[in-house]
Amino acid sequence: MNPFEAVVIGSSAGGIKALSMVLAALPREFPLPIIIVQHLHPHSDSYLAHILGSKCELNVKQADEKETINKGVVYLAPPNYHLLIEEDRSFSLSIDKPVTYARPSVDVLFETAIYAYQDKLIAIILTGANNDGSQGVKKIKQIGGYIIVQDPATAEADAMPKAAIAASKVDSILPIEQIGPYLLHLVNRSIRLYRQCH
Amino acid sequence: MDDFETQNIELQLLLKAIYLKYGYDFRNYSKASIKRRVFHRLDKEGLESISAMQHKLLYDVSFFERLLLDLSINVTEMFRDPSFYLALRKFVMPKLKKHSFLKIWHAGCSSGEEVYSMAILLKEEGLYDRTQIYATDMNEVVLKQAKDGIFNISKLKQYTANYQKSGGLESFSDYYMAHYDHVVMDKSLKGNILFSDHNLATDGVFGEMNLILCRNVLIYFNRELQNRVLGLFYDSVSPGGFLCLGSKESIRFSKYSDAFEDVVRIERIYRRLNTDN
């Protein structure tokens, strides 16, 4: 089994708190990039990066157009732009129409993450009050990526996790406080297994 | 894995076929966006592969026209990013007032919402009558919409709010007539706008401009094409003239970086330096 190469996360209503909890569980030397779409008001600025950065050890920043993706960095989609991943593992932005009423859209990030990382993806869906992300989850699952969904019972808004669970056979459904530790375990295990086989 | 590589080959061939047959060059666009659009069109048409799509577009012009609409960037709004228009009003308009005649190029204008925004701004600043606006796009369908100046009424509330936040001096409703579910922009805004077909990927300079706006177009291009287009803008803007990009775009990573100074950095308003400086 190849080790994972990127983590993509989608969250909406209630997401800031949920993201803080997930990221707080990860060490500074976390070996993968983490790329996040959190739905925000179109005119909000970069405050989310400051909030999340203050809650965890990782470097959190808004993704820039054409920026090369690095491991151990948390990237956030800028408000009012879709965030896409290119095959050379850099970012593109677009102002295409909102997808499932959202810009940035989780589906757009997840679908294009497949172009760059194929099956070496871990996708996480957290709290949210719409169904953005469910199509992306379905496609990542189809190709063989790993899907974690926040237990709808622990989500501030349960529509988004429920839609993801309905759209595909997800790998893990976990309460929010277990997602960060489990992600770390999953990534470390995959790296160990990979080293044993090579 | 193999499927991915095959798809990439198909996509390359598709873009080449479009270029050879129809002259539109998408080969230096950001790939992820193009790929997503192509796959969505594939699903919608029930085609089984990109190769099948290539065959169809070579023989079916109407299919190509649908695909062209998918591939071109046609999302825009009036006074998009009100803070940008406010900065334009405060920091650029006073400088433009020194000129007796102005040329403004709105590159990649899509359906024209931002062109009309500019026309309104120029009117309110007393500059409209001495200005020629060139509004260009590669897609003739959206250009026709821009020329008509007819927009869906559903977005009007947002446009009005944007206009007010951008420092608008009048009532926004002075600039249009409402007709059922759409609005028609006032004729007096159109007099000095020339709508014309121009492709940033393949066409060249057509005049010397005092101000060029090209917002949220470069994000769709790869670095190579971005450099080409910025070169085109450099050659088209007069020394001391202004260049405005989208809020997530920058000239700072291109080879033209040193030729421009920041006017309002955060709004991506630049000014071409005088060569004799």
Side-chain angles (χ1 to χ4, degrees):
Chain A
M1 174 178 154
N2 281 354
F4 296 112
E5 292 182 353
V7 180
V8 287
I9 305 180
S11 58
S12 188
I16 295 176
K17 206 172 145 197
L19 285 168
S20 302
M21 288 184 76
V22 173
L23 296 178
L26 306 176
R28 175 179 290 277
E29 62 278 10
F30 188 73
L32 307 183
I34 299 174
I35 305 153
I36 300 174
V37 162
Q38 159 70 42
H39 295 158
L40 288 169
H41 185 274
H43 297 304
S44 53
D45 52 15
S46 55
Y47 76 96
L48 183 60
H50 296 290
I51 294 177
L52 295 179
S54 71
K55 301 264 165 75
C56 71
E57 292 182 19
L58 294 153
N59 174 19
V60 182
K61 70 180 297 292
Q62 206 176 81
D64 286 322
E65 196 252 337
K66 301 277 187 288
E67 181 175 9
T68 300
I69 298 170
N70 284 312
K71 63 183 183 179
V73 181
V74 179
Y75 298 96
L76 300 171
N80 214 12
Y81 286 82
H82 291 303
L83 181 63
L84 299 87
I85 305 181
E86 298 289 334
E87 269 160 41
D88 66 359
R89 299 184 177 183
S90 65
F91 290 115
S92 286
L93 301 176
S94 100
I95 57 158
D96 288 7
K97 287 199 179 71
V99 175
T100 57
Y101 306 102
R103 188 172 62 204
S105 147
V106 180
D107 281 336
V108 172
L109 172 68
F110 282 15
E111 282 175 31
T112 57
I114 296 172
Y115 307 158
Y117 295 102
Q118 293 156 24
D119 60 341
K120 299 185 183 78
L121 275 172
I122 299 172
I124 304 177
I125 292 286
L126 302 175
T127 173
N130 54 48
N131 66 354
D132 188 20
S134 61
Q135 289 310 305
V137 158
K138 195 170 150 187
K139 286 174 183 160
I140 290 177
K141 186 64 209 168
Q142 271 167 6
I143 188 158
Y146 194 96
I147 313 290
I148 303 172
V149 177
Q150 180 177 0
D151 181 352
T154 71
E156 209 170 303
D158 63 8
M160 213 157 100
K162 275 185 172 165
I165 292 165
S168 86
K169 201 171 167 300
V170 306
D171 297 282
S172 303
I173 300 170
L174 295 170
I176 186 65
E177 67 277 5
Q178 287 180 26
I179 291 179
Y182 185 74
L183 174 63
L184 187 60
H185 159 78
L186 191 67
V187 168
N188 285 338
R189 191 186 62 184
S190 83
I191 291 172
R192 258 199 326 273
L193 283 172
Y194 183 77
R195 285 193 184 134
Q196 280 167 15
C197 302
H198 288 78
Chain B
M1 280 294 271
D2 282 348
D3 281 356
F4 269 96
E5 277 158 31
T6 309
Q7 276 174 358
N8 282 340
I9 293 168
E10 286 182 292
L11 187 65
Q12 269 182 46
L13 293 172
L14 180 89
L15 298 183
K16 190 164 182 186
I18 291 173
Y19 177 63
L20 293 175
K21 171 93 186 191
Y22 299 102
Y24 291 93
D25 195 351
F26 291 102
R27 292 173 296 178
N28 283 317
Y29 276 51
S30 299
K31 261 251 199 69
S33 192
I34 290 285
K35 202 165 166 179
R36 233 190 125 251
R37 292 162 190 224
V38 166
F39 278 130
H40 278 250
R41 177 51 60 191
L42 207 65
D43 283 351
K44 251 190 225 169
E45 305 276 335
L47 293 162
E48 64 181 45
S49 68
I50 299 177
S51 299
M53 182 184 267
Q54 179 183 321
H55 181 84
K56 192 170 165 89
L57 77 85
L58 285 173
Y59 290 97
D60 179 351
V61 182
S62 68
F63 172 73
F64 170 69
E65 282 166 358
R66 287 201 294 283
L67 184 64
L68 182 63
L69 270 181
D70 292 341
L71 293 180
S72 49
I73 309 138
N74 34 46
V75 181
T76 175
E77 63 188 62
M78 288 214 187
F79 294 96
R80 186 188 157 96
D81 307 320
S83 59
F84 163 74
Y85 283 91
L86 190 61
L88 207 56
R89 199 184 276 269
K90 269 163 74 177
F91 302 107
V92 176
M93 291 298 147
K95 301 262 170 38
L96 294 181
K97 280 179 185 164
K98 293 172 188 152
H99 298 274
S100 55
F101 186 70
L102 289 171
K103 283 183 179 176
I104 297 178
W105 178 16
H106 208 123
C109 72
S110 186
S111 43
E113 282 84 341
E114 289 201 74
V115 183
Y116 288 97
S117 308
M118 174 58 82
I120 289 169
L121 182 54
L122 290 167
K123 270 211 157 175
E124 294 187 359
E125 295 296 317
L127 286 168
Y128 186 84
D129 291 335
R130 49 176 144 136
T131 303
Q132 176 66 57
I133 302 175
Y134 302 90
T136 65
D137 200 276
M138 67 163 183
N139 186 321
E140 293 187 41
V141 177
V142 294
L143 209 52
K144 166 84 167 58
Q145 289 170 15
K147 215 178 283 186
D148 292 343
I150 299 172
F151 302 112
N152 197 298
I153 207 162
S154 62
K155 291 185 179 160
L156 214 67
K157 210 172 139 189
Q158 188 203 343
Y159 293 170
T160 306
N162 283 359
Y163 167 74
Q164 285 159 353
K165 280 188 221 152
S166 76
L169 301 176
E170 309 291 335
S171 164
F172 190 56
S173 58
D174 294 350
Y175 298 109
Y176 62 81
M177 293 278 286
H179 277 284
Y180 302 100
D181 58 348
H182 59 266
V183 296
V184 184
M185 299 312 290
D186 192 81
K187 264 199 190 120
S188 69
L189 295 170
K190 289 191 209 178
N192 293 350
I193 307 174
L194 190 69
F195 292 96
S196 170
D197 176 21
H198 182 279
N199 189 330
L200 290 169
T202 46
D203 292 334
V205 175
F206 60 88
E208 188 169 303
M209 305 293 155
N210 303 97
L211 167 63
I212 298 175
L213 294 100
C214 183
R215 304 182 67 232
N216 296 308
V217 176
L218 293 179
I219 48 173
Y220 291 93
F221 298 166
N222 70 13
R223 276 268 188 259
E224 188 186 333
L225 185 53
Q226 285 182 349
N227 269 317
R228 178 198 197 269
V229 174
L230 288 170
L232 187 59
F233 294 158
Y234 174 78
D235 291 337
S236 301
V237 73
S238 57
F242 296 89
L243 172 65
C244 304
L245 303 178
S247 57
K248 299 295 170 194
E249 294 164 334
S250 175
I251 200 163
R252 293 296 164 225
F253 301 100
S254 80
K255 57 181 172 184
Y256 298 93
S257 182
D258 293 342
F260 288 86
E261 63 176 354
D262 290 335
V263 178
V264 185
R265 198 184 57 86
I266 189 166
E267 300 297 348
R268 306 300 200 248
I269 301 176
Y270 305 99
R271 188 170 199 189
R272 188 182 148 181
L273 295 166
N274 281 308
T275 36
D276 48 354
N277 269 355

